[in-house]
Amino acid sequence: MKSFLFVLLGAFSLSACAQSPAPGNGEGAAEPAPAPATAGDEADAGTADGRAVAAIRKLNPQVAVDRVGAAPIDGFREVVVGGQVLYVSDDGRYLLQGSLFDIEARKDLSQAGLAEVRRELIAEVPRSDRIVFAPDDPEYTVTVFTDVECGYCRKLHQEIAEYNRQGIAIEYLAFPRMGPASPDFAEMVSVWCAEDRRQALTDAKSDKRVPKRNCTNPVAMHYALGQRIGLTGTPMIVTESGVQMPGYMPPKALREALEQLDAEAVGG
């Protein structure tokens, strides 16, 4: 696996299952949005947080630092960058990459900060920008980054009624894996611009024709958000607390996993 540090030293790449966009502007593609303000922009240069951010930006000045704060180990700051967790020494000299696992607690401590970043960023997406399939009174809600072309995304959607019967609301965001210049991207724009988005998404995932449309749409923002939170494959399922599930999960298995997360949260 390519080291994330290698990526830092160069430039951030697309997620592993996405192809680089072809030159030119694809139909439905949008100009990149201005870089949002991040936690790294607010860190005081004279503090350990500021030194950690400065150290990361020595490697890549363009990087967006989504979170910086105390690490679970003394002498280091925890930094969330591009959906990855890094640890930088308080003096800004040393950087550690990888999971921080508490052996006694049997817990990956790196996931808490990353989950909080996912939760905060996904919460900024208005419900009106999502395609929602939900039961009347959902017990759980998950956000799913989806593509109309990927096989497991289609499999998940074929079982949408069963997810709803399990008390799970599915809120879709767009992640066209082939990139902004691709026909895949343009088709997802057509889906989000359709009068009936739910039917258009179902049709697109069933190889039925979706009329070409263009409008003011959130597809490019969803795509950028997926990259920012470290999406590595679709479907990416994220819980309300920001926990990333391991790819496609059958409805019953997802329900059981959500119940287990609830029990762990109650148990502390």
PDB file of all heavy atoms in Angstrom, residues 13-22 30 125 145-147 173-182 184-185 188 217-231 234:
ATOM      1  N   SER A  13      -3.683  12.379  -3.780  1.00  0.00           N
ATOM      2  CA  SER A  13      -4.226  11.693  -4.940  1.00  0.00           C
ATOM      3  C   SER A  13      -5.719  11.476  -4.756  1.00  0.00           C
ATOM      4  O   SER A  13      -6.265  11.675  -3.685  1.00  0.00           O
ATOM      5  CB  SER A  13      -3.543  10.335  -5.094  1.00  0.00           C
ATOM      6  OG  SER A  13      -3.867   9.500  -4.000  1.00  0.00           O
ATOM      7  N   LEU A  14      -6.373  11.017  -5.838  1.00  0.00           N
ATOM      8  CA  LEU A  14      -7.751  10.591  -5.730  1.00  0.00           C
ATOM      9  C   LEU A  14      -7.806   9.317  -4.914  1.00  0.00           C
ATOM     10  O   LEU A  14      -6.807   8.631  -4.728  1.00  0.00           O
ATOM     11  CB  LEU A  14      -8.342  10.344  -7.124  1.00  0.00           C
ATOM     12  CG  LEU A  14      -8.402  11.570  -8.031  1.00  0.00           C
ATOM     13  CD1 LEU A  14      -8.942  11.162  -9.380  1.00  0.00           C
ATOM     14  CD2 LEU A  14      -9.284  12.648  -7.416  1.00  0.00           C
ATOM     15  N   SER A  15      -8.975   8.979  -4.419  1.00  0.00           N
ATOM     16  CA  SER A  15      -9.109   7.750  -3.650  1.00  0.00           C
ATOM     17  C   SER A  15      -8.782   6.555  -4.532  1.00  0.00           C
ATOM     18  O   SER A  15      -8.815   6.624  -5.741  1.00  0.00           O
ATOM     19  CB  SER A  15     -10.531   7.642  -3.104  1.00  0.00           C
ATOM     20  OG  SER A  15     -11.455   7.631  -4.152  1.00  0.00           O
ATOM     21  N   ALA A  16      -8.446   5.449  -3.910  1.00  0.00           N
ATOM     22  CA  ALA A  16      -7.853   4.322  -4.616  1.00  0.00           C
ATOM     23  C   ALA A  16      -8.708   3.790  -5.748  1.00  0.00           C
ATOM     24  O   ALA A  16      -8.194   3.311  -6.741  1.00  0.00           O
ATOM     25  CB  ALA A  16      -7.561   3.200  -3.622  1.00  0.00           C
ATOM     26  N   CYS A  17     -10.044   3.845  -5.611  1.00  0.00           N
ATOM     27  CA  CYS A  17     -10.893   3.253  -6.638  1.00  0.00           C
ATOM     28  C   CYS A  17     -11.425   4.282  -7.613  1.00  0.00           C
ATOM     29  O   CYS A  17     -12.335   4.004  -8.367  1.00  0.00           O
ATOM     30  CB  CYS A  17     -12.043   2.485  -6.000  1.00  0.00           C
ATOM     31  SG  CYS A  17     -13.101   3.494  -4.976  1.00  0.00           S
ATOM     32  N   ALA A  18     -10.882   5.485  -7.593  1.00  0.00           N
ATOM     33  CA  ALA A  18     -11.288   6.501  -8.555  1.00  0.00           C
ATOM     34  C   ALA A  18     -10.181   6.705  -9.571  1.00  0.00           C
ATOM     35  O   ALA A  18      -9.008   6.608  -9.251  1.00  0.00           O
ATOM     36  CB  ALA A  18     -11.592   7.820  -7.853  1.00  0.00           C
ATOM     37  N   GLN A  19     -10.552   7.001 -10.802  1.00  0.00           N
ATOM     38  CA  GLN A  19      -9.566   7.290 -11.824  1.00  0.00           C
ATOM     39  C   GLN A  19      -9.348   8.787 -11.922  1.00  0.00           C
ATOM     40  O   GLN A  19     -10.246   9.571 -11.641  1.00  0.00           O
ATOM     41  CB  GLN A  19     -10.029   6.764 -13.185  1.00  0.00           C
ATOM     42  CG  GLN A  19     -10.107   5.251 -13.246  1.00  0.00           C
ATOM     43  CD  GLN A  19     -10.489   4.766 -14.624  1.00  0.00           C
ATOM     44  OE1 GLN A  19     -10.660   5.548 -15.541  1.00  0.00           O
ATOM     45  NE2 GLN A  19     -10.612   3.462 -14.770  1.00  0.00           N
ATOM     46  N   SER A  20      -8.163   9.172 -12.328  1.00  0.00           N
ATOM     47  CA  SER A  20      -7.881  10.588 -12.504  1.00  0.00           C
ATOM     48  C   SER A  20      -8.766  11.147 -13.602  1.00  0.00           C
ATOM     49  O   SER A  20      -8.953  10.510 -14.641  1.00  0.00           O
ATOM     50  CB  SER A  20      -6.415  10.796 -12.885  1.00  0.00           C
ATOM     51  OG  SER A  20      -5.578  10.341 -11.854  1.00  0.00           O
ATOM     52  N   PRO A  21      -9.333  12.349 -13.409  1.00  0.00           N
ATOM     53  CA  PRO A  21     -10.178  12.936 -14.434  1.00  0.00           C
ATOM     54  C   PRO A  21      -9.392  13.157 -15.716  1.00  0.00           C
ATOM     55  O   PRO A  21      -8.225  13.512 -15.696  1.00  0.00           O
ATOM     56  CB  PRO A  21     -10.606  14.282 -13.819  1.00  0.00           C
ATOM     57  CG  PRO A  21     -10.386  14.124 -12.352  1.00  0.00           C
ATOM     58  CD  PRO A  21      -9.247  13.169 -12.205  1.00  0.00           C
ATOM     59  N   ALA A  22     -10.064  12.942 -16.821  1.00  0.00           N
ATOM     60  CA  ALA A  22      -9.454  13.213 -18.120  1.00  0.00           C
ATOM     61  C   ALA A  22      -9.380  14.704 -18.340  1.00  0.00           C
ATOM     62  O   ALA A  22     -10.125  15.477 -17.740  1.00  0.00           O
ATOM     63  CB  ALA A  22     -10.280  12.555 -19.222  1.00  0.00           C
ATOM     64  N   ALA A  30     -18.216  20.640 -12.471  1.00  0.00           N
ATOM     65  CA  ALA A  30     -18.226  21.983 -11.907  1.00  0.00           C
ATOM     66  C   ALA A  30     -16.815  22.410 -11.598  1.00  0.00           C
ATOM     67  O   ALA A  30     -15.916  21.595 -11.404  1.00  0.00           O
ATOM     68  CB  ALA A  30     -19.076  22.019 -10.632  1.00  0.00           C
ATOM     69  N   VAL A 125     -23.917  18.842   5.234  1.00  0.00           N
ATOM     70  CA  VAL A 125     -24.646  18.613   3.985  1.00  0.00           C
ATOM     71  C   VAL A 125     -26.142  18.714   4.269  1.00  0.00           C
ATOM     72  O   VAL A 125     -26.683  17.930   5.057  1.00  0.00           O
ATOM     73  CB  VAL A 125     -24.327  17.224   3.398  1.00  0.00           C
ATOM     74  CG1 VAL A 125     -25.105  17.006   2.104  1.00  0.00           C
ATOM     75  CG2 VAL A 125     -22.828  17.079   3.148  1.00  0.00           C
ATOM     76  N   PHE A 145     -22.081   7.090   0.652  1.00  0.00           N
ATOM     77  CA  PHE A 145     -21.504   7.639  -0.572  1.00  0.00           C
ATOM     78  C   PHE A 145     -21.643   6.565  -1.644  1.00  0.00           C
ATOM     79  O   PHE A 145     -21.139   5.445  -1.487  1.00  0.00           O
ATOM     80  CB  PHE A 145     -20.026   7.997  -0.374  1.00  0.00           C
ATOM     81  CG  PHE A 145     -19.815   9.237   0.434  1.00  0.00           C
ATOM     82  CD1 PHE A 145     -19.834   9.190   1.827  1.00  0.00           C
ATOM     83  CD2 PHE A 145     -19.587  10.468  -0.178  1.00  0.00           C
ATOM     84  CE1 PHE A 145     -19.631  10.337   2.584  1.00  0.00           C
ATOM     85  CE2 PHE A 145     -19.386  11.618   0.574  1.00  0.00           C
ATOM     86  CZ  PHE A 145     -19.414  11.551   1.951  1.00  0.00           C
ATOM     87  N   THR A 146     -22.332   6.911  -2.734  1.00  0.00           N
ATOM     88  CA  THR A 146     -22.673   5.901  -3.729  1.00  0.00           C
ATOM     89  C   THR A 146     -22.266   6.324  -5.130  1.00  0.00           C
ATOM     90  O   THR A 146     -22.076   7.512  -5.414  1.00  0.00           O
ATOM     91  CB  THR A 146     -24.185   5.606  -3.694  1.00  0.00           C
ATOM     92  OG1 THR A 146     -24.468   4.424  -4.439  1.00  0.00           O
ATOM     93  CG2 THR A 146     -24.991   6.767  -4.273  1.00  0.00           C
ATOM     94  N   ASP A 147     -22.119   5.321  -5.990  1.00  0.00           N
ATOM     95  CA  ASP A 147     -21.848   5.524  -7.406  1.00  0.00           C
ATOM     96  C   ASP A 147     -22.863   4.700  -8.179  1.00  0.00           C
ATOM     97  O   ASP A 147     -23.240   3.605  -7.735  1.00  0.00           O
ATOM     98  CB  ASP A 147     -20.409   5.060  -7.705  1.00  0.00           C
ATOM     99  CG  ASP A 147     -20.024   5.214  -9.164  1.00  0.00           C
ATOM    100  OD1 ASP A 147     -20.553   6.134  -9.813  1.00  0.00           O
ATOM    101  OD2 ASP A 147     -19.205   4.421  -9.655  1.00  0.00           O
ATOM    102  N   LEU A 173     -25.224  10.230  -0.676  1.00  0.00           N
ATOM    103  CA  LEU A 173     -24.441  11.308  -1.257  1.00  0.00           C
ATOM    104  C   LEU A 173     -23.748  10.734  -2.493  1.00  0.00           C
ATOM    105  O   LEU A 173     -23.534   9.529  -2.600  1.00  0.00           O
ATOM    106  CB  LEU A 173     -23.401  11.836  -0.269  1.00  0.00           C
ATOM    107  CG  LEU A 173     -23.919  12.369   1.068  1.00  0.00           C
ATOM    108  CD1 LEU A 173     -22.762  12.956   1.878  1.00  0.00           C
ATOM    109  CD2 LEU A 173     -24.997  13.407   0.866  1.00  0.00           C
ATOM    110  N   ALA A 174     -23.398  11.606  -3.427  1.00  0.00           N
ATOM    111  CA  ALA A 174     -22.845  11.159  -4.705  1.00  0.00           C
ATOM    112  C   ALA A 174     -21.328  11.046  -4.648  1.00  0.00           C
ATOM    113  O   ALA A 174     -20.653  11.957  -4.173  1.00  0.00           O
ATOM    114  CB  ALA A 174     -23.243  12.133  -5.822  1.00  0.00           C
ATOM    115  N   PHE A 175     -20.823   9.930  -5.163  1.00  0.00           N
ATOM    116  CA  PHE A 175     -19.378   9.812  -5.365  1.00  0.00           C
ATOM    117  C   PHE A 175     -19.120   9.064  -6.672  1.00  0.00           C
ATOM    118  O   PHE A 175     -18.919   7.846  -6.686  1.00  0.00           O
ATOM    119  CB  PHE A 175     -18.675   9.109  -4.209  1.00  0.00           C
ATOM    120  CG  PHE A 175     -17.173   9.288  -4.268  1.00  0.00           C
ATOM    121  CD1 PHE A 175     -16.583  10.405  -3.698  1.00  0.00           C
ATOM    122  CD2 PHE A 175     -16.361   8.385  -4.941  1.00  0.00           C
ATOM    123  CE1 PHE A 175     -15.209  10.605  -3.784  1.00  0.00           C
ATOM    124  CE2 PHE A 175     -14.990   8.574  -5.028  1.00  0.00           C
ATOM    125  CZ  PHE A 175     -14.410   9.688  -4.455  1.00  0.00           C
ATOM    126  N   PRO A 176     -19.136   9.798  -7.806  1.00  0.00           N
ATOM    127  CA  PRO A 176     -18.834   9.175  -9.100  1.00  0.00           C
ATOM    128  C   PRO A 176     -17.345   8.854  -9.197  1.00  0.00           C
ATOM    129  O   PRO A 176     -16.515   9.741  -9.368  1.00  0.00           O
ATOM    130  CB  PRO A 176     -19.260  10.237 -10.123  1.00  0.00           C
ATOM    131  CG  PRO A 176     -19.251  11.524  -9.375  1.00  0.00           C
ATOM    132  CD  PRO A 176     -19.499  11.216  -7.937  1.00  0.00           C
ATOM    133  N   ARG A 177     -17.013   7.575  -9.084  1.00  0.00           N
ATOM    134  CA  ARG A 177     -15.623   7.159  -8.927  1.00  0.00           C
ATOM    135  C   ARG A 177     -14.731   7.534 -10.103  1.00  0.00           C
ATOM    136  O   ARG A 177     -13.519   7.659  -9.949  1.00  0.00           O
ATOM    137  CB  ARG A 177     -15.547   5.642  -8.716  1.00  0.00           C
ATOM    138  CG  ARG A 177     -16.231   5.156  -7.457  1.00  0.00           C
ATOM    139  CD  ARG A 177     -16.204   3.639  -7.386  1.00  0.00           C
ATOM    140  NE  ARG A 177     -16.852   3.060  -8.560  1.00  0.00           N
ATOM    141  CZ  ARG A 177     -16.578   1.841  -9.044  1.00  0.00           C
ATOM    142  NH1 ARG A 177     -15.661   1.101  -8.460  1.00  0.00           N
ATOM    143  NH2 ARG A 177     -17.217   1.372 -10.089  1.00  0.00           N
ATOM    144  N   MET A 178     -15.314   7.691 -11.284  1.00  0.00           N
ATOM    145  CA  MET A 178     -14.495   7.942 -12.468  1.00  0.00           C
ATOM    146  C   MET A 178     -14.046   9.394 -12.592  1.00  0.00           C
ATOM    147  O   MET A 178     -13.282   9.740 -13.479  1.00  0.00           O
ATOM    148  CB  MET A 178     -15.263   7.532 -13.732  1.00  0.00           C
ATOM    149  CG  MET A 178     -15.678   6.070 -13.743  1.00  0.00           C
ATOM    150  SD  MET A 178     -14.275   4.934 -13.615  1.00  0.00           S
ATOM    151  CE  MET A 178     -13.599   5.106 -15.250  1.00  0.00           C
ATOM    152  N   GLY A 179     -14.525  10.256 -11.691  1.00  0.00           N
ATOM    153  CA  GLY A 179     -14.026  11.626 -11.669  1.00  0.00           C
ATOM    154  C   GLY A 179     -14.909  12.629 -12.381  1.00  0.00           C
ATOM    155  O   GLY A 179     -15.822  12.282 -13.129  1.00  0.00           O
ATOM    156  N   PRO A 180     -14.642  13.917 -12.182  1.00  0.00           N
ATOM    157  CA  PRO A 180     -15.511  14.997 -12.676  1.00  0.00           C
ATOM    158  C   PRO A 180     -15.637  15.103 -14.192  1.00  0.00           C
ATOM    159  O   PRO A 180     -16.582  15.708 -14.674  1.00  0.00           O
ATOM    160  CB  PRO A 180     -14.855  16.260 -12.101  1.00  0.00           C
ATOM    161  CG  PRO A 180     -14.124  15.776 -10.894  1.00  0.00           C
ATOM    162  CD  PRO A 180     -13.624  14.414 -11.253  1.00  0.00           C
ATOM    163  N   ALA A 181     -14.712  14.551 -14.966  1.00  0.00           N
ATOM    164  CA  ALA A 181     -14.804  14.680 -16.420  1.00  0.00           C
ATOM    165  C   ALA A 181     -15.465  13.477 -17.073  1.00  0.00           C
ATOM    166  O   ALA A 181     -15.464  13.353 -18.290  1.00  0.00           O
ATOM    167  CB  ALA A 181     -13.404  14.889 -17.012  1.00  0.00           C
ATOM    168  N   SER A 182     -16.033  12.586 -16.280  1.00  0.00           N
ATOM    169  CA  SER A 182     -16.499  11.299 -16.794  1.00  0.00           C
ATOM    170  C   SER A 182     -17.999  11.280 -17.084  1.00  0.00           C
ATOM    171  O   SER A 182     -18.773  12.052 -16.528  1.00  0.00           O
ATOM    172  CB  SER A 182     -16.183  10.209 -15.769  1.00  0.00           C
ATOM    173  OG  SER A 182     -16.964  10.402 -14.596  1.00  0.00           O
ATOM    174  N   ASP A 184     -19.872   9.010 -16.020  1.00  0.00           N
ATOM    175  CA  ASP A 184     -20.408   8.606 -14.717  1.00  0.00           C
ATOM    176  C   ASP A 184     -20.808   9.832 -13.895  1.00  0.00           C
ATOM    177  O   ASP A 184     -21.894   9.896 -13.303  1.00  0.00           O
ATOM    178  CB  ASP A 184     -19.325   7.794 -13.994  1.00  0.00           C
ATOM    179  CG  ASP A 184     -19.777   7.221 -12.659  1.00  0.00           C
ATOM    180  OD1 ASP A 184     -20.988   7.063 -12.460  1.00  0.00           O
ATOM    181  OD2 ASP A 184     -18.906   6.917 -11.821  1.00  0.00           O
ATOM    182  N   PHE A 185     -19.928  10.827 -13.871  1.00  0.00           N
ATOM    183  CA  PHE A 185     -20.204  12.070 -13.145  1.00  0.00           C
ATOM    184  C   PHE A 185     -21.432  12.765 -13.734  1.00  0.00           C
ATOM    185  O   PHE A 185     -22.339  13.200 -13.012  1.00  0.00           O
ATOM    186  CB  PHE A 185     -18.981  12.990 -13.213  1.00  0.00           C
ATOM    187  CG  PHE A 185     -19.032  14.183 -12.303  1.00  0.00           C
ATOM    188  CD1 PHE A 185     -18.340  14.187 -11.098  1.00  0.00           C
ATOM    189  CD2 PHE A 185     -19.776  15.313 -12.638  1.00  0.00           C
ATOM    190  CE1 PHE A 185     -18.381  15.299 -10.258  1.00  0.00           C
ATOM    191  CE2 PHE A 185     -19.824  16.411 -11.807  1.00  0.00           C
ATOM    192  CZ  PHE A 185     -19.122  16.409 -10.612  1.00  0.00           C
ATOM    193  N   MET A 188     -24.637  11.138 -12.758  1.00  0.00           N
ATOM    194  CA  MET A 188     -25.041  11.417 -11.384  1.00  0.00           C
ATOM    195  C   MET A 188     -25.576  12.837 -11.247  1.00  0.00           C
ATOM    196  O   MET A 188     -26.479  13.100 -10.449  1.00  0.00           O
ATOM    197  CB  MET A 188     -23.894  11.144 -10.414  1.00  0.00           C
ATOM    198  CG  MET A 188     -23.484   9.684 -10.412  1.00  0.00           C
ATOM    199  SD  MET A 188     -22.577   9.154  -8.929  1.00  0.00           S
ATOM    200  CE  MET A 188     -23.920   8.965  -7.756  1.00  0.00           C
ATOM    201  N   ASN A 217     -26.276  21.814  -8.609  1.00  0.00           N
ATOM    202  CA  ASN A 217     -26.353  20.516  -7.947  1.00  0.00           C
ATOM    203  C   ASN A 217     -25.153  20.320  -7.022  1.00  0.00           C
ATOM    204  O   ASN A 217     -24.131  20.992  -7.164  1.00  0.00           O
ATOM    205  CB  ASN A 217     -26.412  19.403  -8.994  1.00  0.00           C
ATOM    206  CG  ASN A 217     -25.106  19.292  -9.769  1.00  0.00           C
ATOM    207  OD1 ASN A 217     -24.167  18.643  -9.322  1.00  0.00           O
ATOM    208  ND2 ASN A 217     -25.029  19.951 -10.925  1.00  0.00           N
ATOM    209  N   PRO A 218     -25.263  19.386  -6.082  1.00  0.00           N
ATOM    210  CA  PRO A 218     -24.202  19.196  -5.079  1.00  0.00           C
ATOM    211  C   PRO A 218     -23.211  18.087  -5.410  1.00  0.00           C
ATOM    212  O   PRO A 218     -22.405  17.724  -4.555  1.00  0.00           O
ATOM    213  CB  PRO A 218     -25.003  18.832  -3.835  1.00  0.00           C
ATOM    214  CG  PRO A 218     -26.137  18.009  -4.382  1.00  0.00           C
ATOM    215  CD  PRO A 218     -26.483  18.640  -5.720  1.00  0.00           C
ATOM    216  N   VAL A 219     -23.258  17.518  -6.613  1.00  0.00           N
ATOM    217  CA  VAL A 219     -22.441  16.335  -6.899  1.00  0.00           C
ATOM    218  C   VAL A 219     -20.947  16.619  -6.708  1.00  0.00           C
ATOM    219  O   VAL A 219     -20.221  15.824  -6.100  1.00  0.00           O
ATOM    220  CB  VAL A 219     -22.734  15.795  -8.309  1.00  0.00           C
ATOM    221  CG1 VAL A 219     -21.771  14.662  -8.673  1.00  0.00           C
ATOM    222  CG2 VAL A 219     -24.180  15.294  -8.389  1.00  0.00           C
ATOM    223  N   ALA A 220     -20.474  17.735  -7.222  1.00  0.00           N
ATOM    224  CA  ALA A 220     -19.045  18.064  -7.068  1.00  0.00           C
ATOM    225  C   ALA A 220     -18.682  18.231  -5.593  1.00  0.00           C
ATOM    226  O   ALA A 220     -17.597  17.808  -5.164  1.00  0.00           O
ATOM    227  CB  ALA A 220     -18.712  19.334  -7.843  1.00  0.00           C
ATOM    228  N   MET A 221     -19.563  18.840  -4.799  1.00  0.00           N
ATOM    229  CA  MET A 221     -19.280  19.011  -3.371  1.00  0.00           C
ATOM    230  C   MET A 221     -19.268  17.679  -2.643  1.00  0.00           C
ATOM    231  O   MET A 221     -18.426  17.443  -1.769  1.00  0.00           O
ATOM    232  CB  MET A 221     -20.305  19.966  -2.752  1.00  0.00           C
ATOM    233  CG  MET A 221     -20.115  21.413  -3.177  1.00  0.00           C
ATOM    234  SD  MET A 221     -21.232  22.567  -2.338  1.00  0.00           S
ATOM    235  CE  MET A 221     -22.789  22.151  -3.106  1.00  0.00           C
ATOM    236  N   HIS A 222     -20.203  16.781  -2.999  1.00  0.00           N
ATOM    237  CA  HIS A 222     -20.208  15.447  -2.396  1.00  0.00           C
ATOM    238  C   HIS A 222     -18.914  14.707  -2.727  1.00  0.00           C
ATOM    239  O   HIS A 222     -18.321  14.045  -1.866  1.00  0.00           O
ATOM    240  CB  HIS A 222     -21.391  14.627  -2.924  1.00  0.00           C
ATOM    241  CG  HIS A 222     -22.728  15.114  -2.476  1.00  0.00           C
ATOM    242  ND1 HIS A 222     -23.911  14.494  -2.845  1.00  0.00           N
ATOM    243  CD2 HIS A 222     -23.091  16.152  -1.678  1.00  0.00           C
ATOM    244  CE1 HIS A 222     -24.927  15.134  -2.296  1.00  0.00           C
ATOM    245  NE2 HIS A 222     -24.455  16.150  -1.594  1.00  0.00           N
ATOM    246  N   TYR A 223     -18.499  14.815  -3.977  1.00  0.00           N
ATOM    247  CA  TYR A 223     -17.274  14.138  -4.433  1.00  0.00           C
ATOM    248  C   TYR A 223     -16.062  14.653  -3.652  1.00  0.00           C
ATOM    249  O   TYR A 223     -15.235  13.874  -3.170  1.00  0.00           O
ATOM    250  CB  TYR A 223     -17.115  14.390  -5.927  1.00  0.00           C
ATOM    251  CG  TYR A 223     -15.921  13.707  -6.564  1.00  0.00           C
ATOM    252  CD1 TYR A 223     -15.953  12.348  -6.857  1.00  0.00           C
ATOM    253  CD2 TYR A 223     -14.784  14.425  -6.892  1.00  0.00           C
ATOM    254  CE1 TYR A 223     -14.863  11.718  -7.450  1.00  0.00           C
ATOM    255  CE2 TYR A 223     -13.692  13.805  -7.488  1.00  0.00           C
ATOM    256  CZ  TYR A 223     -13.735  12.450  -7.768  1.00  0.00           C
ATOM    257  OH  TYR A 223     -12.661  11.838  -8.352  1.00  0.00           O
ATOM    258  N   ALA A 224     -15.972  15.968  -3.512  1.00  0.00           N
ATOM    259  CA  ALA A 224     -14.848  16.553  -2.764  1.00  0.00           C
ATOM    260  C   ALA A 224     -14.907  16.144  -1.294  1.00  0.00           C
ATOM    261  O   ALA A 224     -13.872  15.880  -0.670  1.00  0.00           O
ATOM    262  CB  ALA A 224     -14.885  18.074  -2.897  1.00  0.00           C
ATOM    263  N   LEU A 225     -16.107  16.078  -0.737  1.00  0.00           N
ATOM    264  CA  LEU A 225     -16.258  15.667   0.668  1.00  0.00           C
ATOM    265  C   LEU A 225     -15.796  14.226   0.854  1.00  0.00           C
ATOM    266  O   LEU A 225     -15.103  13.906   1.827  1.00  0.00           O
ATOM    267  CB  LEU A 225     -17.722  15.815   1.094  1.00  0.00           C
ATOM    268  CG  LEU A 225     -18.081  15.303   2.491  1.00  0.00           C
ATOM    269  CD1 LEU A 225     -17.274  16.025   3.560  1.00  0.00           C
ATOM    270  CD2 LEU A 225     -19.576  15.452   2.751  1.00  0.00           C
ATOM    271  N   GLY A 226     -16.167  13.350  -0.067  1.00  0.00           N
ATOM    272  CA  GLY A 226     -15.733  11.964   0.025  1.00  0.00           C
ATOM    273  C   GLY A 226     -14.225  11.843   0.044  1.00  0.00           C
ATOM    274  O   GLY A 226     -13.653  11.094   0.844  1.00  0.00           O
ATOM    275  N   GLN A 227     -13.557  12.610  -0.813  1.00  0.00           N
ATOM    276  CA  GLN A 227     -12.096  12.596  -0.825  1.00  0.00           C
ATOM    277  C   GLN A 227     -11.525  13.139   0.487  1.00  0.00           C
ATOM    278  O   GLN A 227     -10.544  12.618   1.021  1.00  0.00           O
ATOM    279  CB  GLN A 227     -11.583  13.427  -2.000  1.00  0.00           C
ATOM    280  CG  GLN A 227     -11.877  12.803  -3.361  1.00  0.00           C
ATOM    281  CD  GLN A 227     -11.329  13.645  -4.484  1.00  0.00           C
ATOM    282  OE1 GLN A 227     -11.652  14.821  -4.593  1.00  0.00           O
ATOM    283  NE2 GLN A 227     -10.507  13.055  -5.329  1.00  0.00           N
ATOM    284  N   ARG A 228     -12.164  14.165   1.003  1.00  0.00           N
ATOM    285  CA  ARG A 228     -11.658  14.831   2.198  1.00  0.00           C
ATOM    286  C   ARG A 228     -11.736  13.934   3.423  1.00  0.00           C
ATOM    287  O   ARG A 228     -10.883  14.023   4.319  1.00  0.00           O
ATOM    288  CB  ARG A 228     -12.451  16.122   2.425  1.00  0.00           C
ATOM    289  CG  ARG A 228     -11.909  17.007   3.537  1.00  0.00           C
ATOM    290  CD  ARG A 228     -12.667  18.316   3.567  1.00  0.00           C
ATOM    291  NE  ARG A 228     -12.294  19.120   4.717  1.00  0.00           N
ATOM    292  CZ  ARG A 228     -12.903  20.242   5.071  1.00  0.00           C
ATOM    293  NH1 ARG A 228     -13.911  20.706   4.354  1.00  0.00           N
ATOM    294  NH2 ARG A 228     -12.521  20.912   6.134  1.00  0.00           N
ATOM    295  N   ILE A 229     -12.738  13.063   3.489  1.00  0.00           N
ATOM    296  CA  ILE A 229     -12.879  12.211   4.673  1.00  0.00           C
ATOM    297  C   ILE A 229     -12.247  10.839   4.461  1.00  0.00           C
ATOM    298  O   ILE A 229     -12.447   9.925   5.264  1.00  0.00           O
ATOM    299  CB  ILE A 229     -14.346  12.067   5.105  1.00  0.00           C
ATOM    300  CG1 ILE A 229     -15.179  11.347   4.042  1.00  0.00           C
ATOM    301  CG2 ILE A 229     -14.942  13.418   5.454  1.00  0.00           C
ATOM    302  CD1 ILE A 229     -16.602  11.058   4.502  1.00  0.00           C
ATOM    303  N   GLY A 230     -11.475  10.687   3.383  1.00  0.00           N
ATOM    304  CA  GLY A 230     -10.694   9.471   3.215  1.00  0.00           C
ATOM    305  C   GLY A 230     -11.430   8.314   2.572  1.00  0.00           C
ATOM    306  O   GLY A 230     -11.111   7.157   2.837  1.00  0.00           O
ATOM    307  N   LEU A 231     -12.394   8.601   1.702  1.00  0.00           N
ATOM    308  CA  LEU A 231     -13.115   7.534   1.023  1.00  0.00           C
ATOM    309  C   LEU A 231     -12.147   6.713   0.177  1.00  0.00           C
ATOM    310  O   LEU A 231     -11.369   7.250  -0.603  1.00  0.00           O
ATOM    311  CB  LEU A 231     -14.219   8.137   0.143  1.00  0.00           C
ATOM    312  CG  LEU A 231     -15.168   7.155  -0.546  1.00  0.00           C
ATOM    313  CD1 LEU A 231     -16.539   7.811  -0.752  1.00  0.00           C
ATOM    314  CD2 LEU A 231     -14.645   6.681  -1.891  1.00  0.00           C
ATOM    315  N   THR A 234     -16.528   2.607  -2.803  1.00  0.00           N
ATOM    316  CA  THR A 234     -17.971   2.776  -2.682  1.00  0.00           C
ATOM    317  C   THR A 234     -18.635   1.396  -2.667  1.00  0.00           C
ATOM    318  O   THR A 234     -18.140   0.474  -3.312  1.00  0.00           O
ATOM    319  CB  THR A 234     -18.526   3.611  -3.852  1.00  0.00           C
ATOM    320  OG1 THR A 234     -18.115   3.034  -5.093  1.00  0.00           O
ATOM    321  CG2 THR A 234     -18.081   5.053  -3.766  1.00  0.00           C
TER     322      THR A 234
END
